[in-house]
Amino acid sequence: MVRPRNFSAGPAQMPEDVLRSAQAEFMDFAGTGMSVLEMSHRSDAYRRVIDAAEASLRAVLGIPDSYGVLFLQGGATLEFAGIPMNLMRRGRAGHIVSGHFAKVAAEEAAKYGSAEILATSEPTGFDRIPDLPSPEAFAGMDYGYICQNNTIYGTMFHELPDCGGTPLVADVSSCFLSFPLDVTDYGLLFAGAQKNAGPSGVCVLVVDRSLVEGGPALGVCPTYLDYSTQLAKGSMLNTPNTFGIYLCGKVFDWVRGTGGLEAMGARNAEKAALLYGAIDRSDLYRGCAVPSSRSVANVTFRLPTPELEREFVDRAAEGGLVGLAGHRLVGGIRASIYNAVGIDAVRDLVAFMESFELSVTGRSF
Ligand SMILES: *Cc1c(COP(=O)(O)O)cnc(C)c1O
C-alpha cells in the first residue's frame, strides 16, 4: 500500500515505524497476552509504559528533575484554563497574541484574572510575530504567555521574549520536538500531541515544580487540572489516555533513534528551506507570513484566487498529496511539514507546485 504524502496540520502524519511497532504489539503487548488497550492503568505492565514514555521525553528534551512532566487529556485547549487557574497567584498574566490559539488562550485566561495583551499582530492579520515587549512589561505578572508556533498562520517565534525573570509559559503544540530547546527558558510548556508527539487526546505538559508547589492559584480549579496533584499522582488522578501515552512514548523513542532534536532541527530547516525557496521563486504562490517570522512547521501560502486554491488542493490530492487546504478561518494553502513528514514528501510537493504553476501560467520556476 502506498501511503499518501500527508501534510495535515493535526492530527498529523505519524512516523511509519511507530505505527508498525504498535501494530506488531497490538494483540499481545510484551508477553502479557493483552493489548495495551485492555490493561489496567495501575498494572505493572502499564506502569512501565508510562514511566518509559516520561523517561524517553526527559532524555530527548534534557528535562531537569526540577521540572515535572504530565500527560493530560482535554488537548492543549483545556490548558488555556488550567494555566491561569494554577499560576495566577497575583491575578495577572502578560500575553503576546500572535495568532488564533494565542488569542483564544488570552480570552480563556481573562475568565480567571487579568490577561493583559502586551503585544499583538492581529492588525496585520497575524502575518508576523509582533515586536517583543520589553522585560519591564512583565513586571508584577505571574507569567508571560506565548504561542511559540502559530499553526494556522504559519509564523513562529525565532527568539523568545525576555520576561525579565517572570516565568514564560509557551504553547508549543505545533513545534514540539521540532528543534532543540532549553526547558529552563520556560516556566511551563505544553503541547497537544497530535501535531508532533503522538495521537490526539494527550497533552504533554512540562512545568517547573516550584511554580505549582502548594497547589493551584485558584480554589475553583478542578482537581483534574490541579498540576501539583497530577504531579503527585503521576498523571493518574483518574484513568489517563493509556493508549495515547503509549504511542507518545514510541514517538519520543523514534525522535531519539533518529538523532534527537539537533538532527530533527536540521532536517526540518532543510524541508522548510525547500518549500519557502519554491514560494519565493514562484510568480504564482505568495507566502502569507513575513519572511522573518516564518514557521518551520506550517508553511502557508496563497494563489491569486480561491478557485485556483481549490483546484490546487484537488489536483494535489489526485497525485497523493493530501491535507493541503488552509485552516477554515483563513483559507489558502497550508503544508504542515512536521517531524514525521520526510524530505521526499516535501520534494514531491515542490515538484507538484512547479507543474501546477506551469499548467496555469505557462511558466515554471
Ligand atoms: C492544535 C493546536 C491547539 C489546539 O489543540 P487541541 O489539542 O485541539 O486542544 C492549540 N494550540 C496550538 C498551537 C495548536 O497548534
Side-chain angles (χ1 to χ4, degrees), residues 53-67:
E54 178 173 337
S56 191
L57 181 66
R58 284 185 178 278
V60 171
L61 276 176
I63 302 174
D65 289 345
S66 54
Y67 282 69

Side-chain angles (χ1 to χ4, degrees), residues 284 303-314 333 356 360:
L284 185 67
L303 281 77
T305 65
E307 291 70 32
L308 269 176
E309 288 168 344
R310 244 190 320 278
E311 194 183 331
F312 179 93
V313 169
D314 290 347
I333 311 294
F356 188 84
V360 170

Side-chain angles (χ1 to χ4, degrees), residues 138-158:
F138 296 93
M141 305 262 177
D142 293 302
Y143 57 91
Y145 184 101
I146 63 168
C147 177
Q148 194 163 328
N149 184 79
N150 297 284
T151 321
I152 295 174
Y153 296 92
T155 64
M156 179 175 96
F157 283 75
H158 289 270

